Amino acid sequence: MHTLPEHIAIIMDGNGRWAQRQGLSRLEGHRAGVDSATEIVRYCGELGIPYLTLYAFSSENWKRPKDEVLGLMGILRDYLSRDSSELIEKGVRVKTIGSLERLPKALQTAILKICDKTQHGKKLTLTLAISYGSRAEITRATQNLARDVLNHKVAIENITENLFAQYLETRNLPDPDLWIRTSGEFRLSNFLLWQLSYAELYMTPVFWPDFKRADFDAALKEFAGRQRRFGKSS
Ligand code: IPE
Ligand code: IPE
Ligand code: MG
């Protein structure tokens, strides 16, 4: 396949509706969602896509019922505490973005461990957005930048788009080229608002637990056929 995206960002949506359709609990839907994520991570590695960012839990998802939130935290913890030998062997480096301080201690520990164990991975940077909200990220970046201005580390006239991006949690990632959302919803849900400025958008009605390699191929094919102009004439 030609013209592969360098960075793909995915809103993994529809676990709840998938579960409901099968007569299962929402948490079973989330567990099935982990299997899709595992398979897509593997596939990105095989295709040689260097950056994948997955929206796992939004800052707004804290508003869900306590049982679901706690269940999701447990599922994330189990996923991140799993045997990391496959990730290491395949050169996957795990990173996270989001307000980790809000997460249960056991999950924070699991995150630190997996990030540490996989830190030398060079093939695929897997960024998990957990307790992530784009507006919060931009607000925090602004606070830190304002502090640096007050401390005379940065002069106002030197604030550029590139400098501002250095204050975001995604500072070491290229902007996503392709954004995918499953489950037929047509919204950003506070995900990477700054970074997605020029991403190609792809939406599919498929629920995340049903999203497999063939669905990913369809998104890549659509991407390859798009003409990215970045404002220039065609
Ligand atoms: C996405 O599935 C997973 C998370 C938001 C954590 P949902 O739980 O949002 O599933 P639907 O949208 O209710 O079907
Ligand atoms: C976005 O999905 C967040 C994740 C997939 C983690 P939601 O299901 O929470 O988004 P809304 O509520 O439909 O906007
Ligand atoms: Mg949803």
Side-chain angles (χ1 to χ4, degrees):
M1 197 166 313
H2 51 280
T3 341
L4 276 177
E6 185 186 14
H7 183 181
I8 302 178
I10 308 182
I11 300 190
M12 311 184 285
D13 198 13
N15 296 348
R17 279 162 287 167
W18 178 89
Q20 193 179 28
R21 213 180 47 186
Q22 321 273 319
L24 300 170
S25 70
R26 292 184 63 86
L27 285 180
E28 284 169 300
H30 295 313
R31 266 184 222 111
V34 168
D35 295 339
S36 286
T38 305
E39 203 48 31
I40 293 304
V41 170
R42 244 178 227 144
Y43 196 29
C44 280
E46 287 167 28
L47 292 169
I49 290 168
Y51 298 94
L52 175 68
T53 298
L54 300 177
Y55 206 3
F57 191 87
S58 75
S59 48
E60 287 69 33
N61 289 149
W62 289 110
K63 296 178 205 152
R64 293 189 179 198
K66 204 173 165 202
D67 284 356
E68 184 176 353
V69 170
L70 281 177
L72 266 165
M73 294 298 142
I75 289 167
L76 284 168
R77 188 197 57 222
D78 289 349
Y79 172 69
L80 293 168
S81 334
R82 270 197 316 205
D83 182 13
S84 52
S85 49
E86 183 186 342
L87 293 173
I88 294 167
E89 187 193 312
K90 298 203 166 143
V92 179
R93 177 172 58 151
V94 180
K95 294 258 183 196
T96 58
I97 52 175
S99 303
L100 300 187
E101 70 283 353
R102 291 183 74 180
L103 303 174
K105 274 278 166 309
L107 177 52
Q108 292 189 30
T109 308
I111 288 171
L112 289 177
K113 268 196 187 148
I114 191 88
C115 293
D116 182 56
K117 279 192 197 162
T118 62
Q119 62 176 313
H120 299 300
K122 296 253 181 310
K123 285 199 165 148
L124 169 63
T125 299
L126 170 63
T127 305
L128 301 171
I130 305 177
S131 186
Y132 173 85
S134 189
R135 287 187 166 185
E137 179 193 29
I138 292 170
T139 306
R140 218 174 308 118
T142 308
Q143 290 172 341
N144 290 331
L145 178 54
R147 198 168 295 120
D148 282 352
V149 169
L150 285 177
N151 292 336
H152 307 286
K153 282 196 198 156
V154 172
I156 288 181
E157 38 310 343
N158 290 339
I159 299 175
T160 58
E161 291 181 15
N162 283 338
L163 183 85
F164 188 79
Q166 291 307 308
Y167 284 81
L168 296 170
E169 288 190 81
T170 50
R171 64 189 68 84
N172 296 316
L173 304 174
D175 284 343
D177 305 291
L178 173 63
W179 169 93
I180 298 173
R181 183 166 189 153
T182 58
S183 88
E185 305 294 355
F186 286 48
R187 53 176 167 266
L188 290 170
S189 299
N190 203 13
F191 187 45
L192 301 174
L193 303 180
W194 169 282
Q195 297 87 340
L196 289 168
S197 286
Y198 255 108
E200 293 296 323
L201 308 181
Y202 180 84
M203 283 147 279
T204 166
V206 174
F207 292 137
W208 179 250
D210 285 333
F211 190 89
K212 301 297 169 200
R213 287 172 179 237
D215 304 286
F216 196 67
D217 283 338
L220 293 177
K221 189 166 175 230
E222 164 98 19
F223 176 83
R226 300 263 181 101
Q227 197 198 7
R228 302 186 79 193
R229 286 191 285 277
F230 298 102
K232 296 173 205 149
S233 24
S234 51

